[in-house]
Amino acid sequence: MKELPKNYSPQDTEDQIYALWEKSDCFNPDHIDGEPFSVMMPPPNVTGVLHLGHALENSIMDTMVRYERMNGKKTLLLPGTDHAAIATQAKVEKILISQGILHPREELGREKLLHEIKAFAEDSKKTILSQIKKMGTSCDWSRLAYTFDDARNIAVFTVFKKMFDDGLIYRGHRVVNWSIKGQSTCSDEELEYIERPAKLYTFTYAKDFPIPIATTRPETKLGDTAVAVHPNDTRYQKYIGQTFTVNVGAKNPLKIKVIADDSVDPSFGTGALGVTPAHSAIDYDMYTRQRAQGNPIELIQVIDQNGAMTELSGPEYTGLSVEQAREKFVSWLRESTLLLKEEAIMQNVGTSDRFGDIVEAIPMTQWFIDVNKTIPGKNKSLKDLMREAVTIGHNADPNQKITICPKKFEKIYLNWIENLRDWCVSRQIWWGHRIPVWYCSCGEMLISQTQPAHCTSCTSTTFIQDADTLDTWFSSGLWTFSTLGWPEETPDFKTFHPSNWMQMGHEILFFWMARMILMSTYVIDQIPFKDVYIHGMLRDENGKKFSKSAGNNIDPIDIIEKFGTDALRLSLLSGIAPGNDSKFYEEKVIGARNFVSKLWNISRFIMSKSKLTTTQDQKIKRDDLTVFDKMIIQKMHHVIISVRKDLDNYRFSQAIEKLHHFTWNDFADWYIEISKFESNTATKQIILPILLKDLLALWHPFIPFVTEEIWQQYSADKLLAISPYPNAQFYIPYIDTHTDITSTADMIMEIISTIRTIRQEQNITPDTKISIMIDNRKSLLGTTEVLSAYEHIIKNLRTGITKIEFITADIAMPSTIAKTTTHGVTVILSLNTLIKDTRAREKKEKELLKMQKYISALENKLSNESFVTHAPKDIIAGEETKLKTAKKQAQDIVTYLDNIKT
RNA sequence: GCACGCUUAGCUCAGCUGGUUAGAGCAUCUCGUUUACACCGAGAGGGUCGGGGGUUCGAAUCCCUCAGCGUGCACCA
């Protein structure tokens, strides 16, 4: 018999176990013939190292995948990384700046900077991949993908061309979000709103201008071309349609047209707003509406891409920064006594999530994806596709419906679609997929992945490629199928798409989930995944987000080195609910580590007693099973069913809780302890290993390393990672359905607990051996013979009992303490001296009071006619039994109180 | 402003479609080194399930309402 080392050392074990898995290629689905189950790993950004959030994702994902793999499915977890366009470039530029290269783009140029970024990306890719392995994630490394590799490049180009040909991608001049610091556009989703104090100025453009307006951005007023009021606003109706020419210092006198627009709230401020089409998305919308109505207003750009005032803002303003211009304009208003009011308010401003600066609205020529346009041949827009995938199913097919867990995110998602504008996909940064568009000097625009040979309209052979790159989410949107070799019709693509499951944090719902749905339904006419599980964010013990700047960052690798991966995984998955944030702190990991230790010791004990046999070798002999054998078999049967159900429904936390309770309480504290005193050792030697095997397998998806290590130490014939997940069916033949085995076992265990409780309450030292009487005349199911058979168990299980007397007839009770179990068995302890201190008495009196209250509540319930007529029979019967037991327990307390009185 | 959550033991959280005296882990207190485990064992204390109202024989669970906290979207005149 093999012996496990006294302590489990994850540090000395985990890497070897992972190497073992890799060597066997057991994570490659090609070796399995079952029903496909695929998960595409959300590719981490190559911006550095993985954080705790990644550890959570890997734990969730890997638990699910291991479970399905053990269920015999052809399981693929496809690993990958994301080039993370802006994020990575911003990160590398920051590093370069800290190294003294203050203007990386100008100083290095495109080629050199790209080289730097690539080196950084490759480096961090390496780190990330090794970290994923450290976390025990069971991915098929032979299918490793990268959003920026050649295969994904082809997919990106193919999709771009398809969208362009369908007219869904267009190049247009529109107001976009512009980060001055990053010198790039960003999508609406890439804005982070922060609240900051601002001043709201109320003024009129000129003395004779009839409508006052308010603004927090006075400098942009140099580009105003209209004043908008609500069409029904009686105050201003007479001015609608009129144009006023005012001179506020801009290059040309402003022609302010009074326009009517439904979006104006007449009760807010002055009920009128100055329209700056060039520097506000809302105002730009009005500008578009006016044009559509045939009443165009002008558009004057007064801020340039560097955040400086343009020539159009007037000679006094040209070249000034936005802040300088604001000050100047306000003092001009003041001097001209046009300023009516100045008040301090709180204001939300959009900042770039990557560069951190306040984003300016600027009109520019960019590439957009039209989300409202009808897709040729579809009679639907991209928006419709995005909506349908989660409502009626793609193509109204219920089998192509995405289920979002928890459901609340479905509403959030649909609400977001409502407000969705065209998606600006071009970026002015350099790290990313270059827009595959080439311009000929003749004005022709060609879509091509590489430089075209010659122009289709003028035969010229010289082209300029569009300088911009694509939003990183364009390529991640293709992830579920680009990773499978699409646009080739590969076997992988046919087998594994749509993927079965996806998990992600709620912060990337719109960035990623939405775009995957858009791309997949449009490009390949399939949903990207069937189920999506949204997890919450990890926070520190004070509820704060983890971040480097807050200084509360925890490196998962540090935790792994200290406590092991299994402990980290277990602690991350414990106590989480889908969509809810959870707190992470070291005590939780310690608890998980302790559990891993416990499992190790359980295994160590069983291994020292018996060697692992396969079920084919030796069959359990039914007749040799004790009540407790049957009890644990029944509980095992039950735990397998309920853990499977939890995992099938992504209730990781609940599954862990049940397994934890079963392992530590039912199995270790009761069954193993009892097994030490039962004589059917031959049967125990068969049954213990069988139970241990299934226990390890049940735990394996959560804590893969320690379970595999024990498994290997015990019987190295096969890897646990590809062994079947326990089947409850196996235990059915050993479960007694007609006799109430668990109740007998429960009764014995309860008697033991009762004795222990009495000992503690009475402060009886362990070396004091006591004798007890057991009265089961009114027990619900026990007989004295049954109880006598378990006398040795009761005596041996930390009860300190030397003698048990079974009461079969009425006898005179000595000075006693009696306690009745819920099974109706009364344990009587006779002592010469009972504790009589007032504290013990008070406690008992309190207990009695509680009991009496409970009894009268039950009595009321049972005498309530409505209850008796309306409630189901089994509920009523249950209440009656409860009442019976409660009465007996109350009597015990009364007797006890009487006894200590004398 | 609109929408969606959350509020359960000192702490962190479970509690599915309403039905045992509302659970777990940690922490606390008491006792204990019994041959797998002190990263342990045995026992105990601790909650009027945010407030109010309603539906029901029965509500932590369903409905309404109020309060506090949080998130998303919009606004950012």
Side-chain angles (χ1 to χ4, degrees), chain A residues 676-710:
Chain A
K676 290 176 184 170
F677 306 104
E678 290 201 297
S679 53
N680 63 341
T681 41
T683 301
K684 286 281 190 291
Q685 286 196 358
I686 301 170
I687 193 171
L688 278 170
I690 290 175
L691 290 168
L692 177 62
K693 248 182 107 172
D694 273 358
L695 193 63
L696 292 172
L698 281 169
W699 275 110
H700 184 259
F702 304 97
I703 43 175
F705 287 113
V706 69
T707 47
E708 183 74 83
E709 167 66 7
I710 297 167

Side-chain angles (χ1 to χ4, degrees), chain A residues 274-310:
Chain A
V275 181
T276 324
H279 300 292
S280 152
I282 300 292
D283 296 4
Y284 183 79
D285 288 344
M286 287 187 205
Y287 163 85
T288 323
R289 278 196 288 273
Q290 285 302 122
R291 283 225 307 205
Q293 288 165 18
N295 297 306
I297 54 173
E298 286 178 84
L299 182 142
I300 305 170
Q301 180 176 352
V302 291
I303 300 169
D304 71 12
Q305 293 174 21
N306 296 314
M309 301 306 285
T310 65

Side-chain angles (χ1 to χ4, degrees), chain A residues 206-227:
Chain A
K207 277 270 178 287
D208 54 351
F209 194 83
I211 307 172
I213 56 157
T215 184
T216 54
R217 297 286 310 268
E219 71 283 7
T220 65
K221 300 292 109 181
L222 292 159
D224 276 13
T225 57
V227 163

Side-chain angles (χ1 to χ4, degrees), chain A residues 543-781:
Chain A
K544 291 216 171 76
K545 289 182 192 179
F546 285 110
S547 76
K548 265 181 212 143
S549 50
N552 61 352
N553 224 28
I554 294 177
D555 185 346
I557 299 303
D558 287 347
I559 301 284
I560 287 172
E561 271 164 19
K562 214 165 154 192
F563 301 104
T565 299
D566 291 328
L568 174 64
R569 290 170 61 125
L570 197 53
S571 65
L572 286 168
L573 293 180
S574 299
I576 61 164
N580 285 5
D581 291 353
S582 59
K583 296 188 183 176
F584 181 87
Y585 40 94
E586 205 169 282
E587 286 80 358
K588 236 174 146 176
V589 194
I590 292 172
R593 190 271 321 263
N594 293 353
F595 177 79
V596 169
S597 235
K598 185 73 186 179
L599 189 61
W600 179 262
N601 279 304
I602 288 170
S603 312
R604 206 157 78 90
F605 173 75
I606 293 176
M607 281 167 71
S608 72
K609 297 284 178 207
S610 50
K611 63 171 189 287
L612 186 62
T613 51
T614 61
T615 45
Q616 282 89 349
D617 288 351
Q618 267 177 298
K619 278 251 174 355
I620 302 170
K621 288 201 197 91
R622 227 194 117 127
D623 294 343
D624 288 342
L625 296 178
T626 67
V627 161
F628 298 103
D629 294 332
K630 290 178 183 172
M631 178 273 297
I632 199 69
I633 283 173
Q634 194 155 321
K635 290 201 174 188
M636 175 62 102
H637 173 258
H638 181 254
V639 86
I640 292 172
I641 290 172
S642 63
V643 164
R644 277 181 168 276
K645 205 172 158 195
D646 283 338
L647 284 175
D648 289 338
N649 292 288
Y650 320 129
R651 295 190 295 250
F652 303 102
S653 189
Q654 280 96 319
I656 286 172
E657 212 173 297
K658 281 169 195 159
L659 273 178
H660 187 275
H661 188 268
F662 172 76
T663 309
W664 207 312
N665 299 59
D666 299 331
F667 192 64
D669 290 344
W670 283 109
Y671 182 66
I672 289 188
E673 288 309 311
I674 287 170
S675 78
K676 290 176 184 170
F677 306 104
E678 290 201 297
S679 53
N680 63 341
T681 41
T683 301
K684 286 281 190 291
Q685 286 196 358
I686 301 170
I687 193 171
L688 278 170
I690 290 175
L691 290 168
L692 177 62
K693 248 182 107 172
D694 273 358
L695 193 63
L696 292 172
L698 281 169
W699 275 110
H700 184 259
F702 304 97
I703 43 175
F705 287 113
V706 69
T707 47
E708 183 74 83
E709 167 66 7
I710 297 167
W711 188 272
Q712 290 304 313
Q713 293 285 336
Y714 214 1
S715 85
D717 58 337
K718 202 182 171 189
L719 290 167
L720 177 55
I722 46 170
S723 298
Y725 205 67
N727 189 341
Q729 290 279 320
F730 171 80
Y731 293 97
I732 288 177
Y734 310 104
I735 294 172
D736 271 315
T737 41
H738 43 285
T739 59
D740 209 341
I741 288 304
T742 35
S743 289
T744 308
D746 273 351
M747 181 172 66
I748 310 292
M749 295 193 292
E750 227 184 286
I751 290 169
I752 291 166
S753 294
T754 306
I755 297 167
R756 288 169 178 168
T757 307
I758 295 174
R759 284 198 76 113
Q760 288 266 353
E761 279 179 353
Q762 293 298 321
N763 222 345
I764 302 164
T765 54
D767 48 321
T768 313
K769 299 297 175 192
I770 55 169
S771 63
I772 57 157
M773 288 181 279
I774 293 181
D775 175 5
N776 76 321
R777 283 167 302 158
K778 288 173 189 151
S779 150
L780 302 175
L781 54 95

Side-chain angles (χ1 to χ4, degrees), chain A residues 29 49 135 170 282 361 444 525 565 609 849:
Chain A
V49 295
M135 290 170 188
Y170 66 90
I282 300 292
E444 187 65 28
D525 210 23
T565 299
K609 297 284 178 207
L849 214 71

